[in-house]
Structures are given as structure tokens and as C-alpha cells.
Amino acid sequence: PLSQQNGACPRPRVGRRGLPAHLPAPSESWRSSTTSSKMSINLKSLYEARMARAQYRTREVKVSEEMTVTIAEKAGMGVGSQMWEAGETLARYLCSRDAEKKGFWKGKEILELGSGVGITGVCAALLGARVTLSDKKSILPVLIETVKVNQKVSQAGS
């Protein structure tokens, strides 16, 4: 009771992965304890089905006077499926460095770890670098979509 805790609200119990202790992890199956039927739901399958139905949202980001990068985002897939301000800032830096010294990135090899939506790596590739993008398996579809969209744009422009 609240009176026993000097008026403070009780803290919820937190289990593994930061989820409330009474909720199963997404990869586990859930079995209804309130019904006598054999109702079992695989939460991971439900999540994957929901993500498959969700649509990509594309938007253009102007990283320099001469360059616009199109990124794909997909809601509900976590932090890697959305563009972060830091990625946009780094992409702008790459463009400014290239503007100072023309062709600075041409032929350079770049490995981007945790690419997310891929704005920085795609920007570097459009500036002439050979780029390897990487992220978690669950984020790769968003990253691949960003690469595809920008390949179409760069092929149409050349």
C-alpha cells in the first residue's frame, strides 16, 4: 500500500530485457492461462507479420547544395529503422569535406558499422567511396530499401 511507502508509488518489477516481469519476451510463446482451450500465440511470428505489412516511408534529405539522399524508414522496428540527427550531421560533414577537397572520398574504402537507414554510407558512396554497410539482421531490409532507392536516383541522374 502507498501509506507504507511514505506516499511514493511502487516501482514496477522489471524482468529480463527491460520488459515488465509479467510480460513474456517477444521470442517466447504465450499460452492463455484464463481459458481451458489450447490457445497458443507465437509473439515473434506476430511481430514479424506486422512488420511485413508495414510500409516503408521514404523522404529526401538535403545533405549539401548539390546532393539529396533519399532514405527509407519503417516504423516499429526500433531505433535502427529511423534516421538519427547524428547520421544526417555526419553525411553533411562528408559533403563539406568533399567540397573543400574535390574528390576526397573517391576510391576510399569505408566500413560503416550500425548503418541504420544508411544515410551516411549512401552519401559516401554517392561521393565516390567504396562503402560496406552493416547492421543487425532485423534492420537490413530498411537499409537495403534505402540503397535501392538511391541506386535508382543515381542511375536516373547519370
mmCIF file of all heavy atoms in Angstrom, residues 90-137:
data_model
loop_
_atom_site.group_PDB
_atom_site.id
_atom_site.type_symbol
_atom_site.label_atom_id
_atom_site.label_comp_id
_atom_site.label_asym_id
_atom_site.label_seq_id
_atom_site.Cartn_x
_atom_site.Cartn_y
_atom_site.Cartn_z
ATOM 1 N N LEU A 90 26.709 13.762 -39.897
ATOM 2 C CA LEU A 90 27.908 13.149 -40.447
ATOM 3 C C LEU A 90 27.871 13.156 -41.972
ATOM 4 O O LEU A 90 28.891 13.403 -42.628
ATOM 5 C CB LEU A 90 28.075 11.720 -39.910
ATOM 6 C CG LEU A 90 29.350 10.986 -40.314
ATOM 7 C CD1 LEU A 90 30.600 11.793 -39.980
ATOM 8 C CD2 LEU A 90 29.401 9.627 -39.632
ATOM 9 N N ALA A 91 26.706 12.917 -42.565
ATOM 10 C CA ALA A 91 26.575 12.971 -44.028
ATOM 11 C C ALA A 91 26.893 14.377 -44.541
ATOM 12 O O ALA A 91 27.578 14.545 -45.557
ATOM 13 C CB ALA A 91 25.168 12.562 -44.446
ATOM 14 N N ARG A 92 26.438 15.392 -43.830
ATOM 15 C CA ARG A 92 26.746 16.777 -44.215
ATOM 16 C C ARG A 92 28.244 17.056 -44.099
ATOM 17 O O ARG A 92 28.821 17.769 -44.909
ATOM 18 C CB ARG A 92 25.944 17.747 -43.356
ATOM 19 C CG ARG A 92 24.495 17.768 -43.744
ATOM 20 C CD ARG A 92 23.777 18.982 -43.173
ATOM 21 N NE ARG A 92 22.445 19.004 -43.738
ATOM 22 C CZ ARG A 92 21.335 19.012 -43.032
ATOM 23 N NH1 ARG A 92 21.394 19.035 -41.720
ATOM 24 N NH2 ARG A 92 20.163 19.024 -43.626
ATOM 25 N N TYR A 93 28.875 16.494 -43.071
ATOM 26 C CA TYR A 93 30.317 16.659 -42.916
ATOM 27 C C TYR A 93 31.053 16.035 -44.095
ATOM 28 O O TYR A 93 31.994 16.619 -44.636
ATOM 29 C CB TYR A 93 30.819 16.049 -41.603
ATOM 30 C CG TYR A 93 32.328 15.974 -41.569
ATOM 31 C CD1 TYR A 93 33.085 17.119 -41.322
ATOM 32 C CD2 TYR A 93 32.984 14.778 -41.827
ATOM 33 C CE1 TYR A 93 34.475 17.069 -41.332
ATOM 34 C CE2 TYR A 93 34.366 14.714 -41.835
ATOM 35 C CZ TYR A 93 35.110 15.860 -41.594
ATOM 36 O OH TYR A 93 36.470 15.806 -41.623
ATOM 37 N N LEU A 94 30.643 14.823 -44.499
ATOM 38 C CA LEU A 94 31.292 14.165 -45.641
ATOM 39 C C LEU A 94 31.214 15.052 -46.881
ATOM 40 O O LEU A 94 32.191 15.196 -47.619
ATOM 41 C CB LEU A 94 30.626 12.814 -45.933
ATOM 42 C CG LEU A 94 30.739 11.721 -44.877
ATOM 43 C CD1 LEU A 94 29.974 10.482 -45.320
ATOM 44 C CD2 LEU A 94 32.173 11.385 -44.571
ATOM 45 N N CYS A 95 30.057 15.655 -47.102
ATOM 46 C CA CYS A 95 29.877 16.536 -48.269
ATOM 47 C C CYS A 95 30.737 17.792 -48.159
ATOM 48 O O CYS A 95 31.320 18.233 -49.148
ATOM 49 C CB CYS A 95 28.410 16.917 -48.426
ATOM 50 S SG CYS A 95 27.378 15.547 -48.936
ATOM 51 N N SER A 96 30.825 18.363 -46.953
ATOM 52 C CA SER A 96 31.632 19.580 -46.786
ATOM 53 C C SER A 96 33.116 19.268 -46.981
ATOM 54 O O SER A 96 33.853 20.050 -47.566
ATOM 55 C CB SER A 96 31.391 20.208 -45.415
ATOM 56 O OG SER A 96 31.928 19.413 -44.387
ATOM 57 N N ARG A 97 33.556 18.103 -46.517
ATOM 58 C CA ARG A 97 34.950 17.694 -46.697
ATOM 59 C C ARG A 97 35.250 17.494 -48.171
ATOM 60 O O ARG A 97 36.321 17.870 -48.656
ATOM 61 C CB ARG A 97 35.192 16.401 -45.918
ATOM 62 C CG ARG A 97 36.584 15.889 -45.997
ATOM 63 C CD ARG A 97 37.491 16.736 -45.116
ATOM 64 N NE ARG A 97 38.778 16.091 -45.037
ATOM 65 C CZ ARG A 97 39.918 16.755 -45.078
ATOM 66 N NH1 ARG A 97 39.928 18.055 -45.167
ATOM 67 N NH2 ARG A 97 41.045 16.105 -45.006
ATOM 68 N N ASP A 98 34.294 16.929 -48.912
ATOM 69 C CA ASP A 98 34.464 16.728 -50.343
ATOM 70 C C ASP A 98 34.466 18.068 -51.082
ATOM 71 O O ASP A 98 35.159 18.228 -52.070
ATOM 72 C CB ASP A 98 33.356 15.821 -50.893
ATOM 73 C CG ASP A 98 33.702 15.270 -52.258
ATOM 74 O OD1 ASP A 98 34.663 14.497 -52.345
ATOM 75 O OD2 ASP A 98 33.008 15.646 -53.224
ATOM 76 N N ALA A 99 33.680 19.021 -50.598
ATOM 77 C CA ALA A 99 33.639 20.346 -51.226
ATOM 78 C C ALA A 99 34.966 21.076 -51.028
ATOM 79 O O ALA A 99 35.421 21.797 -51.914
ATOM 80 C CB ALA A 99 32.488 21.164 -50.653
ATOM 81 N N GLU A 100 35.594 20.904 -49.846
ATOM 82 C CA GLU A 100 36.888 21.538 -49.577
ATOM 83 C C GLU A 100 37.985 20.971 -50.475
ATOM 84 O O GLU A 100 38.822 21.703 -50.990
ATOM 85 C CB GLU A 100 37.302 21.314 -48.116
ATOM 86 C CG GLU A 100 36.466 22.050 -47.113
ATOM 87 C CD GLU A 100 36.781 21.625 -45.680
ATOM 88 O OE1 GLU A 100 37.767 20.876 -45.459
ATOM 89 O OE2 GLU A 100 36.029 22.041 -44.786
ATOM 90 N N LYS A 101 37.976 19.678 -50.625
ATOM 91 C CA LYS A 101 38.996 18.994 -51.421
ATOM 92 C C LYS A 101 38.271 18.062 -52.384
ATOM 93 O O LYS A 101 37.917 16.950 -52.031
ATOM 94 C CB LYS A 101 39.930 18.209 -50.501
ATOM 95 C CG LYS A 101 41.132 17.646 -51.184
ATOM 96 C CD LYS A 101 42.069 16.989 -50.185
ATOM 97 C CE LYS A 101 43.259 16.427 -50.924
ATOM 98 N NZ LYS A 101 44.118 15.674 -50.026
ATOM 99 N N LYS A 102 38.001 18.551 -53.589
ATOM 100 C CA LYS A 102 37.215 17.798 -54.576
ATOM 101 C C LYS A 102 37.720 16.368 -54.751
ATOM 102 O O LYS A 102 38.920 16.133 -54.885
ATOM 103 C CB LYS A 102 37.247 18.498 -55.944
ATOM 104 C CG LYS A 102 36.214 19.577 -56.088
ATOM 105 C CD LYS A 102 34.846 18.959 -56.133
ATOM 106 C CE LYS A 102 33.809 20.011 -56.440
ATOM 107 N NZ LYS A 102 32.560 19.726 -55.817
ATOM 108 N N GLY A 103 36.801 15.432 -54.698
ATOM 109 C CA GLY A 103 37.131 14.032 -54.888
ATOM 110 C C GLY A 103 37.828 13.385 -53.705
ATOM 111 O O GLY A 103 38.438 12.328 -53.846
ATOM 112 N N PHE A 104 37.709 13.984 -52.528
ATOM 113 C CA PHE A 104 38.388 13.454 -51.336
ATOM 114 C C PHE A 104 37.981 12.013 -51.051
ATOM 115 O O PHE A 104 38.812 11.183 -50.682
ATOM 116 C CB PHE A 104 38.093 14.336 -50.115
ATOM 117 C CG PHE A 104 38.759 13.863 -48.865
ATOM 118 C CD1 PHE A 104 40.099 14.154 -48.625
ATOM 119 C CD2 PHE A 104 38.072 13.110 -47.913
ATOM 120 C CE1 PHE A 104 40.728 13.715 -47.472
ATOM 121 C CE2 PHE A 104 38.696 12.665 -46.763
ATOM 122 C CZ PHE A 104 40.031 12.968 -46.537
ATOM 123 N N TRP A 105 36.714 11.673 -51.206
ATOM 124 C CA TRP A 105 36.219 10.334 -50.852
ATOM 125 C C TRP A 105 36.331 9.338 -52.002
ATOM 126 O O TRP A 105 36.165 8.146 -51.791
ATOM 127 C CB TRP A 105 34.764 10.412 -50.383
ATOM 128 C CG TRP A 105 34.604 11.293 -49.191
ATOM 129 C CD1 TRP A 105 34.043 12.528 -49.147
ATOM 130 C CD2 TRP A 105 35.056 11.019 -47.866
ATOM 131 N NE1 TRP A 105 34.107 13.049 -47.880
ATOM 132 C CE2 TRP A 105 34.727 12.143 -47.074
ATOM 133 C CE3 TRP A 105 35.708 9.955 -47.261
ATOM 134 C CZ2 TRP A 105 35.016 12.217 -45.716
ATOM 135 C CZ3 TRP A 105 35.998 10.028 -45.910
ATOM 136 C CH2 TRP A 105 35.652 11.141 -45.156
ATOM 137 N N LYS A 106 36.612 9.812 -53.213
ATOM 138 C CA LYS A 106 36.663 8.929 -54.386
ATOM 139 C C LYS A 106 37.712 7.836 -54.189
ATOM 140 O O LYS A 106 38.872 8.115 -53.884
ATOM 141 C CB LYS A 106 36.972 9.748 -55.636
ATOM 142 C CG LYS A 106 36.683 8.996 -56.920
ATOM 143 C CD LYS A 106 36.775 9.886 -58.120
ATOM 144 C CE LYS A 106 35.598 10.698 -58.446
ATOM 145 N NZ LYS A 106 34.291 10.231 -58.529
ATOM 146 N N GLY A 107 37.272 6.578 -54.303
ATOM 147 C CA GLY A 107 38.168 5.436 -54.194
ATOM 148 C C GLY A 107 38.493 4.989 -52.772
ATOM 149 O O GLY A 107 39.094 3.937 -52.587
ATOM 150 N N LYS A 108 38.096 5.744 -51.774
ATOM 151 C CA LYS A 108 38.364 5.349 -50.390
ATOM 152 C C LYS A 108 37.438 4.180 -50.026
ATOM 153 O O LYS A 108 36.323 4.080 -50.512
ATOM 154 C CB LYS A 108 38.107 6.521 -49.445
ATOM 155 C CG LYS A 108 39.043 7.694 -49.667
ATOM 156 C CD LYS A 108 39.763 8.028 -48.411
ATOM 157 C CE LYS A 108 40.678 9.198 -48.403
ATOM 158 N NZ LYS A 108 41.140 9.872 -49.520
ATOM 159 N N GLU A 109 37.916 3.298 -49.158
ATOM 160 C CA GLU A 109 37.098 2.188 -48.680
ATOM 161 C C GLU A 109 36.585 2.534 -47.291
ATOM 162 O O GLU A 109 37.359 2.878 -46.399
ATOM 163 C CB GLU A 109 37.904 0.897 -48.638
ATOM 164 C CG GLU A 109 38.249 0.380 -50.017
ATOM 165 C CD GLU A 109 38.882 -0.990 -49.987
ATOM 166 O OE1 GLU A 109 38.569 -1.779 -49.069
ATOM 167 O OE2 GLU A 109 39.681 -1.258 -50.879
ATOM 168 N N ILE A 110 35.257 2.416 -47.111
ATOM 169 C CA ILE A 110 34.625 2.776 -45.843
ATOM 170 C C ILE A 110 33.777 1.608 -45.357
ATOM 171 O O ILE A 110 33.012 1.038 -46.125
ATOM 172 C CB ILE A 110 33.750 4.036 -46.003
ATOM 173 C CG1 ILE A 110 34.621 5.230 -46.406
ATOM 174 C CG2 ILE A 110 32.970 4.329 -44.729
ATOM 175 C CD1 ILE A 110 33.841 6.480 -46.732
ATOM 176 N N LEU A 111 33.907 1.276 -44.083
ATOM 177 C CA LEU A 111 33.068 0.277 -43.425
ATOM 178 C C LEU A 111 32.221 1.019 -42.400
ATOM 179 O O LEU A 111 32.767 1.639 -41.485
ATOM 180 C CB LEU A 111 33.917 -0.792 -42.728
ATOM 181 C CG LEU A 111 33.177 -1.749 -41.791
ATOM 182 C CD1 LEU A 111 32.150 -2.564 -42.556
ATOM 183 C CD2 LEU A 111 34.171 -2.652 -41.081
ATOM 184 N N GLU A 112 30.920 0.973 -42.578
ATOM 185 C CA GLU A 112 30.027 1.628 -41.620
ATOM 186 C C GLU A 112 29.360 0.555 -40.768
ATOM 187 O O GLU A 112 28.606 -0.277 -41.269
ATOM 188 C CB GLU A 112 28.968 2.469 -42.340
ATOM 189 C CG GLU A 112 28.111 3.232 -41.362
ATOM 190 C CD GLU A 112 27.066 4.123 -42.025
ATOM 191 O OE1 GLU A 112 26.796 3.987 -43.225
ATOM 192 O OE2 GLU A 112 26.497 4.942 -41.287
ATOM 193 N N LEU A 113 29.642 0.584 -39.483
ATOM 194 C CA LEU A 113 29.043 -0.358 -38.540
ATOM 195 C C LEU A 113 27.789 0.266 -37.950
ATOM 196 O O LEU A 113 27.811 1.424 -37.543
ATOM 197 C CB LEU A 113 30.031 -0.691 -37.425
ATOM 198 C CG LEU A 113 31.358 -1.284 -37.878
ATOM 199 C CD1 LEU A 113 32.305 -1.420 -36.702
ATOM 200 C CD2 LEU A 113 31.156 -2.616 -38.551
ATOM 201 N N GLY A 114 26.702 -0.477 -37.900
ATOM 202 C CA GLY A 114 25.449 0.055 -37.373
ATOM 203 C C GLY A 114 24.894 1.142 -38.273
ATOM 204 O O GLY A 114 24.596 2.242 -37.824
ATOM 205 N N SER A 115 24.754 0.838 -39.542
ATOM 206 C CA SER A 115 24.363 1.835 -40.549
ATOM 207 C C SER A 115 22.961 2.384 -40.361
ATOM 208 O O SER A 115 22.671 3.487 -40.809
ATOM 209 C CB SER A 115 24.458 1.223 -41.954
ATOM 210 O OG SER A 115 25.755 0.766 -42.196
ATOM 211 N N GLY A 116 22.089 1.618 -39.739
ATOM 212 C CA GLY A 116 20.701 2.079 -39.589
ATOM 213 C C GLY A 116 20.045 2.242 -40.943
ATOM 214 O O GLY A 116 20.047 1.320 -41.749
ATOM 215 N N VAL A 117 19.500 3.423 -41.222
ATOM 216 C CA VAL A 117 18.854 3.666 -42.515
ATOM 217 C C VAL A 117 19.876 3.929 -43.612
ATOM 218 O O VAL A 117 19.527 3.965 -44.779
ATOM 219 C CB VAL A 117 17.829 4.820 -42.442
ATOM 220 C CG1 VAL A 117 16.693 4.478 -41.510
ATOM 221 C CG2 VAL A 117 18.485 6.121 -42.052
ATOM 222 N N GLY A 118 21.142 4.140 -43.256
ATOM 223 C CA GLY A 118 22.215 4.203 -44.238
ATOM 224 C C GLY A 118 22.520 5.557 -44.841
ATOM 225 O O GLY A 118 23.201 5.628 -45.858
ATOM 226 N N ILE A 119 22.059 6.637 -44.239
ATOM 227 C CA ILE A 119 22.265 7.948 -44.859
ATOM 228 C C ILE A 119 23.746 8.284 -45.024
ATOM 229 O O ILE A 119 24.165 8.780 -46.075
ATOM 230 C CB ILE A 119 21.523 9.068 -44.102
ATOM 231 C CG1 ILE A 119 21.665 10.384 -44.870
ATOM 232 C CG2 ILE A 119 21.988 9.186 -42.665
ATOM 233 C CD1 ILE A 119 20.764 11.488 -44.387
ATOM 234 N N THR A 120 24.563 7.994 -44.028
ATOM 235 C CA THR A 120 25.984 8.353 -44.093
ATOM 236 C C THR A 120 26.705 7.520 -45.152
ATOM 237 O O THR A 120 27.446 8.060 -45.973
ATOM 238 C CB THR A 120 26.644 8.169 -42.718
ATOM 239 O OG1 THR A 120 25.894 8.912 -41.756
ATOM 240 C CG2 THR A 120 28.062 8.644 -42.731
ATOM 241 N N GLY A 121 26.480 6.217 -45.142
ATOM 242 C CA GLY A 121 27.142 5.347 -46.106
ATOM 243 C C GLY A 121 26.709 5.611 -47.540
ATOM 244 O O GLY A 121 27.536 5.606 -48.454
ATOM 245 N N VAL A 122 25.430 5.852 -47.738
ATOM 246 C CA VAL A 122 24.931 6.146 -49.091
ATOM 247 C C VAL A 122 25.523 7.463 -49.582
ATOM 248 O O VAL A 122 25.934 7.586 -50.737
ATOM 249 C CB VAL A 122 23.382 6.173 -49.121
ATOM 250 C CG1 VAL A 122 22.870 6.747 -50.423
ATOM 251 C CG2 VAL A 122 22.837 4.764 -48.911
ATOM 252 N N CYS A 123 25.599 8.450 -48.699
ATOM 253 C CA CYS A 123 26.205 9.733 -49.048
ATOM 254 C C CYS A 123 27.665 9.526 -49.472
ATOM 255 O O CYS A 123 28.107 10.058 -50.499
ATOM 256 C CB CYS A 123 26.102 10.698 -47.875
ATOM 257 S SG CYS A 123 26.810 12.312 -48.183
ATOM 258 N N ALA A 124 28.411 8.743 -48.703
ATOM 259 C CA ALA A 124 29.809 8.468 -49.040
ATOM 260 C C ALA A 124 29.920 7.760 -50.383
ATOM 261 O O ALA A 124 30.799 8.070 -51.196
ATOM 262 C CB ALA A 124 30.461 7.636 -47.937
ATOM 263 N N ALA A 125 29.022 6.804 -50.651
ATOM 264 C CA ALA A 125 29.035 6.093 -51.928
ATOM 265 C C ALA A 125 28.742 7.042 -53.085
ATOM 266 O O ALA A 125 29.384 6.966 -54.143
ATOM 267 C CB ALA A 125 28.016 4.954 -51.898
ATOM 268 N N LEU A 126 27.788 7.945 -52.892
ATOM 269 C CA LEU A 126 27.471 8.914 -53.947
ATOM 270 C C LEU A 126 28.630 9.887 -54.191
ATOM 271 O O LEU A 126 28.746 10.461 -55.275
ATOM 272 C CB LEU A 126 26.190 9.681 -53.602
ATOM 273 C CG LEU A 126 24.907 8.841 -53.599
ATOM 274 C CD1 LEU A 126 23.737 9.658 -53.074
ATOM 275 C CD2 LEU A 126 24.605 8.312 -54.999
ATOM 276 N N LEU A 127 29.513 10.041 -53.192
ATOM 277 C CA LEU A 127 30.697 10.889 -53.343
ATOM 278 C C LEU A 127 31.878 10.118 -53.928
ATOM 279 O O LEU A 127 32.954 10.671 -54.108
ATOM 280 C CB LEU A 127 31.093 11.500 -51.994
ATOM 281 C CG LEU A 127 30.123 12.544 -51.439
ATOM 282 C CD1 LEU A 127 30.476 12.883 -49.999
ATOM 283 C CD2 LEU A 127 30.111 13.789 -52.319
ATOM 284 N N GLY A 128 31.694 8.825 -54.219
ATOM 285 C CA GLY A 128 32.726 8.042 -54.898
ATOM 286 C C GLY A 128 33.454 7.023 -54.052
ATOM 287 O O GLY A 128 34.340 6.327 -54.543
ATOM 288 N N ALA A 129 33.113 6.887 -52.786
ATOM 289 C CA ALA A 129 33.770 5.897 -51.931
ATOM 290 C C ALA A 129 33.194 4.502 -52.189
ATOM 291 O O ALA A 129 32.065 4.364 -52.665
ATOM 292 C CB ALA A 129 33.587 6.267 -50.464
ATOM 293 N N ARG A 130 33.999 3.488 -51.876
ATOM 294 C CA ARG A 130 33.502 2.109 -51.906
ATOM 295 C C ARG A 130 33.079 1.794 -50.478
ATOM 296 O O ARG A 130 33.915 1.732 -49.573
ATOM 297 C CB ARG A 130 34.587 1.167 -52.402
ATOM 298 C CG ARG A 130 34.912 1.414 -53.874
ATOM 299 C CD ARG A 130 35.761 0.326 -54.492
ATOM 300 N NE ARG A 130 36.756 -0.245 -53.611
ATOM 301 C CZ ARG A 130 38.069 -0.106 -53.765
ATOM 302 N NH1 ARG A 130 38.543 0.589 -54.757
ATOM 303 N NH2 ARG A 130 38.902 -0.684 -52.919
ATOM 304 N N VAL A 131 31.793 1.592 -50.274
ATOM 305 C CA VAL A 131 31.232 1.523 -48.920
ATOM 306 C C VAL A 131 30.666 0.136 -48.633
ATOM 307 O O VAL A 131 29.989 -0.447 -49.480
ATOM 308 C CB VAL A 131 30.122 2.585 -48.745
ATOM 309 C CG1 VAL A 131 29.541 2.534 -47.345
ATOM 310 C CG2 VAL A 131 30.661 3.978 -49.044
ATOM 311 N N THR A 132 30.919 -0.356 -47.437
ATOM 312 C CA THR A 132 30.276 -1.564 -46.927
ATOM 313 C C THR A 132 29.390 -1.132 -45.768
ATOM 314 O O THR A 132 29.872 -0.557 -44.793
ATOM 315 C CB THR A 132 31.311 -2.589 -46.434
ATOM 316 O OG1 THR A 132 32.196 -2.913 -47.513
ATOM 317 C CG2 THR A 132 30.630 -3.846 -45.921
ATOM 318 N N LEU A 133 28.088 -1.371 -45.901
ATOM 319 C CA LEU A 133 27.116 -1.018 -44.865
ATOM 320 C C LEU A 133 26.785 -2.266 -44.062
ATOM 321 O O LEU A 133 26.692 -3.357 -44.618
ATOM 322 C CB LEU A 133 25.843 -0.465 -45.499
ATOM 323 C CG LEU A 133 26.014 0.747 -46.417
ATOM 324 C CD1 LEU A 133 24.732 1.017 -47.198
ATOM 325 C CD2 LEU A 133 26.397 1.958 -45.613
ATOM 326 N N SER A 134 26.575 -2.109 -42.762
ATOM 327 C CA SER A 134 26.221 -3.263 -41.935
ATOM 328 C C SER A 134 25.293 -2.838 -40.815
ATOM 329 O O SER A 134 25.294 -1.690 -40.383
ATOM 330 C CB SER A 134 27.484 -3.900 -41.335
ATOM 331 O OG SER A 134 28.081 -3.005 -40.419
ATOM 332 N N ASP A 135 24.474 -3.779 -40.368
ATOM 333 C CA ASP A 135 23.605 -3.574 -39.208
ATOM 334 C C ASP A 135 23.049 -4.916 -38.787
ATOM 335 O O ASP A 135 23.353 -5.943 -39.397
ATOM 336 C CB ASP A 135 22.476 -2.587 -39.513
ATOM 337 C CG ASP A 135 22.074 -1.790 -38.276
ATOM 338 O OD1 ASP A 135 21.814 -2.426 -37.231
ATOM 339 O OD2 ASP A 135 22.020 -0.566 -38.340
ATOM 340 N N LYS A 136 22.204 -4.900 -37.758
ATOM 341 C CA LYS A 136 21.566 -6.129 -37.295
ATOM 342 C C LYS A 136 20.681 -6.697 -38.402
ATOM 343 O O LYS A 136 20.179 -5.963 -39.249
ATOM 344 C CB LYS A 136 20.701 -5.858 -36.063
ATOM 345 C CG LYS A 136 21.456 -5.336 -34.870
ATOM 346 C CD LYS A 136 20.584 -5.203 -33.639
ATOM 347 C CE LYS A 136 19.304 -4.476 -33.915
ATOM 348 N NZ LYS A 136 18.472 -4.252 -32.749
ATOM 349 N N LYS A 137 20.467 -7.993 -38.349
ATOM 350 C CA LYS A 137 19.656 -8.676 -39.359
ATOM 351 C C LYS A 137 18.254 -8.076 -39.471
ATOM 352 O O LYS A 137 17.720 -7.942 -40.560
ATOM 353 C CB LYS A 137 19.570 -10.167 -39.017
ATOM 354 C CG LYS A 137 18.893 -11.000 -40.058
ATOM 355 C CD LYS A 137 18.914 -12.473 -39.670
ATOM 356 C CE LYS A 137 18.233 -13.315 -40.721
ATOM 357 N NZ LYS A 137 18.258 -14.730 -40.360
#
